[in-house]
Amino acid sequence: MRVLVTRPKPAATRTAARLRAAGHDVIVAPLLDPRAVAWALPSALPQAVIFTSAAAARLAGPLPPAWLALPAYAVGEATAAAVRAAGFTAVTAAGGTAAALFAHVAANGVTHALHLAGADRMTVAVPPTLRVDTAVVYAARLADALPPAAVVALSASAPPLTLLYSPRTAARFAALVDAAGIDRACLAVVAISVSTAAAVGPGWAAVVTADAPTEAALLAAAGLVCDTGPDSREG
């Protein structure tokens, strides 16, 4: 099957490799480019550190040993893997969504946590017993256009199935398809969540939504078979 992968690198590269190993024809067209930004650690240690994206773990930069010894909570297994690679030693993957993750952290008795996050993120309800301070450690720039190879593939008589990983990139994909003069009615998309499916808008040949906000569920919804590895939303 031909597949268009829209998640950022390096996650897109890993996904493409797994799909190609399973025999699929893959086009990589990242719609976000995460970049580190300057930030400063607060003077006081929190009880825990929260990560809702793998990019935050990769781009936060080196942290002092005292911080790396804190309990770290990650939204999924891929994010947890990135947090461990950053040097944290007590890492818990939980939730699957930011809201579920914050609820899990509060249920563990944490009352004060630092969320290392991106500049653009969804507003999430936080349990009343949990104080969450946020430090922005990266910003992700949306793509200005689809790569030429993606435009050619999406304009073909048999266009690829497009995998969408977040509401923000789904909305950008729809805008870029329209800007390129490609007919939405000829394209099928698979969304990682209900909010992502809503963000891509109407008019597509098909919009399929994953049963859970993980890449494994996304690929299953797309009818793609491969060794998916750890799951994540945006990478």
Side-chain angles (χ1 to χ4, degrees), residues 20-131:
R20 288 177 179 133
H24 302 294
D25 180 12
V26 184
I27 301 143
V28 175
L31 297 180
L32 279 178
D33 181 18
R35 300 287 181 93
V37 300
W39 69 287
L41 285 170
S43 56
L45 285 173
Q47 291 173 280
V49 184
I50 295 174
F51 293 88
T52 52
S53 75
R58 290 195 307 271
L59 298 174
L63 298 175
W67 283 82
L68 297 175
L70 291 172
Y73 293 86
V75 74
E77 289 297 340
T79 300
V83 174
R84 293 186 188 100
F88 284 86
T89 55
V91 182
T92 300
T97 66
L101 177 60
F102 290 148
H104 180 86
V105 172
N108 275 19
V110 176
T111 59
H112 177 211
L114 179 68
H115 180 198
L116 298 186
D120 295 283
R121 59 194 180 278
M122 296 177 65
T123 300
V124 177
V126 176
T129 60
L130 177 62
R131 170 188 157 195

Side-chain angles (χ1 to χ4, degrees), residues 1-7 15 19 24-29 150 153-165 173 177 184 186-191 204-209 217-225:
M1 182 182 294
R2 299 189 80 198
V3 187
L4 183 72
V5 176
T6 63
R7 70 189 311 191
T15 296
L19 288 168
H24 302 294
D25 180 12
V26 184
I27 301 143
V28 175
L154 292 169
S155 303
S157 57
L161 184 65
T162 298
L163 305 182
L164 300 172
Y165 288 80
F173 176 73
V177 163
R184 292 188 182 194
C186 297
L187 306 180
V189 301
V190 185
W204 308 93
V207 178
V208 180
T209 304
L218 180 70
L219 298 182
L224 300 168
V225 178

